[in-house]
Amino acid sequence: MTITNTSVIKKTLLIFLVIAGLIFAKAFLIPLFIGSILATLFIPFSNLLEKYGIPKVLAAFICLLTLVLIMSGLVALLAWKIAELVNDVELIKQKAIASGVEAQEYIFNHLGISVEQQSNILKQEQPSLSSIMQLTFSSITSLITNLILLLAYVFFLLYYRKHIKQFFLKLAKPAQQQEMSEILSKATHVSQQYLFGLSKMIVCLWIMYSIGFSILGVKNAIFFAILCGLLEIVPFVGNITGTTLTVLVTALHGAPLSVLGGIVAVYGTVQFIQGWVLEPLILGPQVKINPLFTIIALVVGELIWGIPGIILAIPLTAILKIVCDHIESLKPYGFLIGEIEYENQENTLLTKLNKQILKLSKRK
C-alpha cells in the first residue's frame, strides 16, 4: 500500500474547504440542520396521522403545532422556576458583593493593587450601555428569525419528505438505490433514537436530581434539577456546568460544606446511573460513537458553529458514521469513530449486563 503526498494534500485540502464552507454558511445551515433533525422526530407521528386519513399538509401542521407546544411548555416551566429564584436575587447579590470585597482585599494584600486601581480596571473593561442594548437587540432579532426559519423547515421537510427521499434515490445508480434507501432509513432512525432517548434521559435526570437536591435541602432544588437535566443536551460539559452553578449558588446562600459535598456526591451517583444503566437501556446500540470522538465532535462543533454546533455535534457525527459504514472507501473512518469491539467481549460482565438490559427494553 502506498500513500502519496498528493493524496494526503488533496484530502487535507478537502477537509479545510468543508470546514470553511460550514463556517461561511452557518447562518443558513444551522436552522436547516436543527429543523431536519427535529423533523425526523415527528416522522412516525406524521405517518400515523396520514394512516388515519388526515391530509399530508394538515398532518405536517399538527406536528408543527405539537413542537411549538412542547417548546412553549419548556419555556414556561423555566420561567416559572426562574420567577421563584428571583425572590432570592437580593440575597445572592449581597453575598456576591461581600465575596467581591473579600476578593479585592485579597488582591490588595497579595498583589499590591489598590481598590481604586481595581475599580478603574473594571470600568475600562465594562462595555457601554449603548453597545449592550445593541447587542441584546441584535441577539433577540437573530433568535426570532432563526426560530421562524426552523419552524418553516420542520413543516416543509415533513411535507416533502417522500419527495426528498426520491431525490436521494435518483442520485444513486439503480443497483445502489436499495443501499441508499437503507442509509436514509438508518440515518433517520438514529436521529429519532437520539432525540427520543435524550428526552427520556432528561426526564430521568430531572427526577434523580430533584430527589437528591431536595434531600440535601438545596434551595430552589427543582430549578437546579431542571437546569442540570436540560444541560445534558451538551454531553460531558453540560452536566458539569449545571452542577458547578448549583454548588456556587448554594454556597452563596451560606450552605455548609457537607451540603456542597452532597451536591457533588449526587452528581457522581447520577452520572454512574446514567452511564451504566440509562444509556444502555434508553439510547441502545445505535449511537455508537466512542468517547474520544464524542469530545472531538463537540470541540469541532463549538469552533465551527458555537453552541448550536455543540448541540448538533453528536447526532450529525452518528449520521456521518452511518454514511461511512456504507461507503467502501469511507469504512475505515466509520470504524475509527465507532466503539471498540473486542474479540472476547461476550465474556465481559459489562457486555452481559448491557445485553440483559437491551432484552428487557425490547420486551417492553
Side-chain angles (χ1 to χ4, degrees), residues 117-127:
Q117 289 175 325
Q118 294 178 39
S119 300
N120 291 332
I121 293 171
L122 290 174
K123 286 178 181 178
Q124 291 174 2
E125 295 296 328
Q126 285 179 351

Side-chain angles (χ1 to χ4, degrees), residues 273-285 354 357-358 361:
I273 296 172
Q274 176 187 344
W276 291 85
V277 179
L278 294 181
E279 285 185 359
L281 180 64
I282 294 176
L283 290 180
N354 286 344
I357 292 173
L358 288 172
S361 63

Side-chain angles (χ1 to χ4, degrees), residues 345-359:
Q345 193 178 13
E346 295 80 11
N347 298 325
T348 63
L349 178 62
L350 176 60
T351 305
K352 291 180 180 179
L353 177 62
N354 286 344
K355 284 184 177 180
Q356 292 299 322
I357 292 173
L358 288 172
K359 285 181 181 179

Side-chain angles (χ1 to χ4, degrees), residues 16 31 56 75 78 101 103 113 143 150-151 229 267 271 317 328:
F16 277 101
K56 185 187 293 186
V75 171
L78 279 175
V101 171
I113 303 175
L143 178 63
L150 188 150
L151 295 176
Y267 165 76
Q271 289 305 301
T317 305
E328 192 64 34

